[in-house]
């Protein structure tokens, strides 16, 4: 199972919005509404930010939103804040009854 | 507050074995499916294995199938990963993660335990 494709890095200024894409295939992202997004700060465990494509766990800011079109899922962060600077990973269920992650995107807040 | 604590990592020679444990607390362990996810130094996340709440249903990543065994002891609120025939490419921080309900919605993670495979 190949990793999902994410941009290596994105950046934005405080207050701006950014979008991170996550491209897979019809056997994973496109085939199921089981796409999650995780935030990881250096030296820390990942944190669930979005599940089932669009849902936010309790306690996650509504500045974070998810969507999907075809084989590509997206994470949008609005009103960028300094603490949003982190690595972000998308994740999908697959038709092989496995889980596949994206390669990760480093978000820099300028 | 849900708590997951991994242990058992360390330095092992190629071809060797290691058993990781994950102690769970503050939730009904047997009601949740659990996973192991690893992260090589400086690299991305890599899913390893899944086990159902009862332990009857198990799935593995192709890279570890036949070498790793996931198991659980619900009486002890513990998750395990037996790793055999270890390779250099298995070097990583290993996390246990609780599944919220839909396969990859890992809502709680442990702090991770480092496994280093080297001679």
């Amino acid at each position: 199972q190949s990793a999902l494709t994410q941009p290596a890095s994105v950046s934005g200024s405080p207050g701006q919005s950014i979008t991170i894409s996550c491209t897979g295939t019809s056997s994973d992202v496109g085939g199921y509404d089981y796409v999650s997004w995780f935030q990881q700060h250096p030296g820390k465990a990942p944190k669930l930010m979005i599940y089932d494509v669009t849902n936010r766990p309790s306690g996650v800011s509504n500045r974070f939103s998810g969507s999907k079109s075809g084989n590509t899922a997206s994470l949008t962060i609005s009103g960028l804040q300094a603490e949003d600077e982190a690595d972000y990973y998308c994740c999908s269920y697959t038709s092989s009854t496995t889980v596949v992650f994206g390669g990760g995107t480093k978000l820099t807040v300028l | 507050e849900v708590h997951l604590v991994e242990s058992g990592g360390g330095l092992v020679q190629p071809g060797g074995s290691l058993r990781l444990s994950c102690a769970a607390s503050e939730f009904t362990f047997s009601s949740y499916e659990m996973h192991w996810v690893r992260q090589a130094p400086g690299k991305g996340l890599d899913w390893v294995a899944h086990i159902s709440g009862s332990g009857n249903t198990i799935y593995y990543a192709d890279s570890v199938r036949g070498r790793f065994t996931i198991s659980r002891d619900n009486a002890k609120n513990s998750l395990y990963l037996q790793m055999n025939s270890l390779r250099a490419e298995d070097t990583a921080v290993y996390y246990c993660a609780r599944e919220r309900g839909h396969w990859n919605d890992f809502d709680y993670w442990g702090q991770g335990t480092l496994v280093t495979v080297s001679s």
Side-chain angles (χ1 to χ4, degrees):
Chain A
Q1 184 71 44
S2 299
L4 306 176
T5 300
Q6 297 181 232
S9 63
V10 298
S11 62
S13 300
Q16 288 186 332
S17 295
I18 63 95
T19 296
I20 299 172
S21 62
C22 169
T23 301
T25 69
S26 57
S27 295
D28 38 64
V29 174
Y32 308 92
D33 285 335
Y34 293 158
V35 176
S36 299
W37 289 90
F38 298 90
Q39 176 192 65
Q40 187 179 35
H41 287 107
K44 301 295 186 181
K47 175 185 177 183
L48 180 65
M49 305 303 285
I50 296 288
Y51 67 95
D52 294 353
V53 180
T54 61
N55 296 323
R56 271 189 318 276
S58 174
V60 172
S61 171
N62 59 10
R63 297 186 298 104
F64 291 83
S65 63
S67 63
K68 190 183 82 167
S69 178
N71 295 337
T72 298
S74 298
L75 173 71
T76 297
I77 309 174
S78 59
L80 267 181
Q81 299 179 2
E83 61 260 36
D84 298 333
E85 185 162 293
D87 293 327
Y88 290 84
Y89 295 91
C90 63
C91 178
S92 176
Y93 174 73
T94 84
S95 60
S96 302
T97 326
T98 61
V99 172
V100 62
F101 284 94
T105 297
K106 181 178 181 59
L107 169 62
T108 300
V109 180
L110 302 170
Chain B
E1 174 75 10
V2 169
H3 211 43
L4 297 171
V5 179
E6 301 93 339
S7 61
L11 175 64
V12 61
Q13 292 188 340
S17 298
L18 213 54
R19 190 196 196 206
L20 306 184
S21 299
C22 171
S25 59
E26 304 303 325
F27 67 100
T28 305
F29 182 65
S30 60
S31 296
Y32 288 85
E33 310 199 6
M34 299 293 295
H35 298 251
W36 287 99
V37 177
R38 66 185 179 182
Q39 186 170 34
K43 302 296 184 182
L45 300 172
D46 182 34
W47 177 78
V48 174
H50 153 278
I51 187 167
S52 62
S54 65
N56 291 337
T57 302
I58 288 172
Y59 296 100
Y60 296 100
D62 289 344
S63 58
V64 307
R65 187 177 295 112
R67 300 187 299 122
F68 290 11
T69 302
I70 188 173
S71 63
R72 65 192 298 161
D73 185 336
N74 288 339
K76 294 183 178 179
N77 289 339
S78 292
L79 176 72
Y80 305 103
L81 186 68
Q82 176 67 42
M83 303 185 295
N84 299 331
S85 303
L86 282 162
R87 307 166 179 167
E89 54 264 38
D90 295 318
T91 294
V93 172
Y94 284 74
Y95 296 100
C96 61
R98 189 182 85 164
E99 177 189 310
R100 185 182 177 282
H102 286 165
W103 257 95
N104 62 333
D105 51 358
F106 309 130
D107 59 351
Y108 286 95
W109 298 63
Q111 84 290 348
T113 187
L114 177 62
V115 173
T116 303
V117 184
S118 174
S119 55

